[in-house]
Amino acid sequence: MHYDYLIVGAGLFGAVFAQQAGENGKKVLVLDRRNHIGGNVYTEQVEGINVHKYGAHIFHTNNKVVWDYVNTFATFNRFTNSPVANYKGEIYSLPFNMYTFNKMWGVVTPQEAADRIARQRQEITGEPQNLEEQAISLVGRDIFEKLIKGYTEKQWGRDCKDLPAFIIKRLPVRYTYDNNYFNALYQGIPIGGYTNLVNNLLEGIEVRLGVDYLKHRDEYENIADKIVYTGPVDEFFGYKLGTLEYRSVRFENELLDMPSFQGNAAVNYTDRETPWTRIIEHKWFEFGKDANGNDLPKTVISREYSSEWTPGDEPYYPVNDEKNSALYAKYQAETAKLTNVIFGGRLGTYSYYDMDVTVDMALKAAKDIL
């Protein structure tokens, strides 16, 4: 059997490209070394709850083309991302808004809040030299200490003074009583979970799961005219130039015999002492209801722990510092030499993308080549 396209990876980029290729009459084979489709947006049902297996994913976009496209394959609910921060038992609204400032300082008006932040920002007089100074220069000492410092140090495994300033180029500050995390025209979660969305994208496409393309390269390399590769770019080249670094995430999942654990989809733990960065309570992504609109009697929570990545761990967030960016540029030069391989997705391009950007890039890649 010969194919027009061999797509390595059944995540969002691969699934969207496969759908577009199939719609254009191309013969497509999709491989994934995991035993499921969907990549990191994969959701699985537990007690009627769609559990985000690899961390919370909330679709949000200002791109109407992308929004209309994904809504062709799934119906999205009206979920609004309104996380809260838990600092040693004190609860704050995120992103930073008037609810946050009222709880922090007792201020009521936007001007009071702006004045308080402006005074605290004066602590940093020169160009910020590290993440701590950058954050204080943006939102002041109080917010930094309670809502940024501990969370960031857990995320990166380093003191904020030892992290580069560019990691926090800007921080969302709203002088309104609006705790919608995303400034996006369109936002929601696919009803039935992301697996349902990806399954619909791949309808009619041949998919083989549990197949590691790189381990069976000889078998698959010549069965298609072109390859769309969405795995780690350095692994594709056998790490011959070096290994790109990531941050990883570990999850502890728990099924609880209670209707609600924390009353919100996401709670960030911003003190340094709590070992996890946040707890996700999955049922609230779909308002605590099952497919028939009934209240779910149980709940599933996931504690997230940020960790250093070592080869063999699941890579999540590229470490886009100077060293890794320079190494990726060398791998990019290698990819440019290959005329029959398209590199896509966050691993294939060593970049962290929101889901809408991933979909948009896949659509554009398909349009350019099909």
Side-chain angles (χ1 to χ4, degrees):
M1 181 76 71
H2 192 79
Y3 300 87
D4 297 302
Y5 290 95
L6 171 66
I7 299 176
V8 180
L12 264 185
F13 189 97
V16 170
F17 193 100
Q19 186 278 324
Q20 290 286 284
E23 190 177 77
N24 280 272
K26 304 298 183 182
K27 193 159 188 60
V28 180
L29 172 62
V30 177
L31 305 179
D32 201 297
R33 59 183 169 192
R34 289 174 173 168
N35 64 358
H36 60 73
I37 61 172
N40 277 14
V41 304
Y42 171 69
T43 51
E44 67 175 3
Q45 278 222 348
V46 178
E47 296 284 341
I49 301 164
N50 291 306
V51 174
H52 296 220
K53 195 70 175 173
Y54 300 94
H57 288 81
I58 298 104
F59 202 97
H60 58 97
T61 187
N62 289 313
N63 188 328
K64 191 173 187 304
V65 172
V66 167
W67 183 246
D68 289 344
Y69 175 79
V70 294
N71 273 270
T72 305
F73 300 94
T75 301
F76 281 70
N77 68 19
R78 56 178 178 79
F79 178 81
T80 298
N81 189 28
S82 300
V84 297
N86 183 322
Y87 177 78
K88 300 182 179 180
E90 297 175 15
I91 301 298
Y92 293 90
S93 179
L94 297 175
F96 309 137
N97 64 74
M98 286 304 299
Y99 290 113
T100 319
F101 309 142
N102 176 263
K103 178 67 179 284
M104 185 78 67
W105 302 307
V107 299
V108 175
T109 68
Q111 190 59 56
E112 289 176 301
D115 290 346
R116 183 68 70 105
I117 290 174
R119 286 198 299 272
Q120 293 194 8
R121 290 173 59 185
Q122 293 174 8
E123 176 185 335
I124 307 301
T125 54
E127 185 71 22
Q129 297 302 303
N130 53 53
L131 187 147
E132 177 171 319
E133 292 183 3
Q134 178 70 42
I136 294 170
S137 74
L138 292 170
V139 293
R141 170 69 66 176
D142 290 347
I143 291 175
F144 168 73
E145 291 289 346
K146 286 192 172 184
L147 303 181
I148 298 172
K149 178 177 168 62
Y151 189 89
T152 303
E153 289 180 352
K154 286 187 289 189
Q155 266 196 319
W156 292 96
R158 293 164 180 79
D159 190 285
C160 285
K161 289 187 175 72
D162 299 325
L163 290 167
F166 73 79
I167 291 178
I168 295 183
K169 294 178 182 175
R170 58 187 178 84
L171 288 166
V173 176
R174 296 183 188 158
Y175 296 104
T176 61
Y177 289 93
D178 176 13
N179 58 356
N180 179 359
Y181 196 83
F182 299 119
N183 283 318
L185 290 172
Y186 313 105
Q187 181 177 168
I189 305 280
I191 294 172
Y194 285 95
T195 303
N196 181 51
L197 167 65
V198 177
N199 191 55
N200 290 337
L201 284 165
L202 293 172
E203 185 176 357
I205 303 292
E206 184 180 351
V207 179
R208 299 180 191 175
L209 300 175
V211 177
D212 189 328
Y213 164 75
L214 295 178
K215 288 182 179 177
H216 300 88
R217 210 168 194 157
D218 293 343
E219 180 182 348
Y220 287 101
E221 196 158 34
N222 297 312
I223 67 169
D225 295 333
K226 285 190 177 291
I227 296 169
V228 177
Y229 179 81
T230 67
V233 61
D234 53 348
E235 188 178 8
F236 181 91
F237 292 103
Y239 305 107
K240 68 178 184 179
L241 303 175
T243 302
L244 292 164
E245 294 175 313
Y246 294 84
R247 289 293 292 174
S248 194
V249 183
R250 178 174 62 85
F251 301 95
E252 280 183 1
N253 301 318
E254 201 173 343
L255 173 64
L256 302 174
D257 192 8
M258 60 175 68
S260 181
F261 174 77
Q262 63 189 19
N264 202 53
V267 176
N268 292 3
Y269 285 77
T270 59
D271 61 279
R272 188 68 181 88
E273 293 73 24
T274 302
W276 52 83
T277 54
R278 65 177 176 172
I279 296 179
I280 300 301
E281 189 167 6
H282 300 268
K283 69 189 296 182
W284 300 121
F285 289 126
E286 298 182 66
F287 314 112
K289 309 286 186 181
D290 65 14
N292 298 315
N294 301 311
D295 290 337
L296 291 158
K298 297 183 181 181
T299 193
V300 176
I301 64 169
S302 297
R303 293 181 180 86
E304 294 188 14
Y305 299 81
S306 184
S307 61
E308 292 285 351
W309 175 86
T310 56
D313 294 339
E314 189 63 40
Y316 278 87
Y317 305 108
V319 180
N320 295 124
D321 59 12
E322 191 174 324
K323 179 183 77 171
N324 284 285
S325 295
L327 179 56
Y328 173 60
K330 293 178 181 178
Y331 277 117
Q332 247 186 325
E334 293 295 312
T335 68
K337 300 173 185 177
L338 303 176
T339 57
N340 69 325
V341 183
I342 301 161
F343 291 83
R346 64 187 177 88
L347 300 179
T349 59
Y350 195 64
S351 299
Y352 180 79
Y353 300 120
D354 285 332
M355 288 181 286
D356 64 323
V357 176
T358 299
V359 171
D360 187 48
M361 292 178 71
L363 289 172
K364 287 176 177 174
K367 185 178 180 181
D368 287 345
I369 200 168
L370 293 173

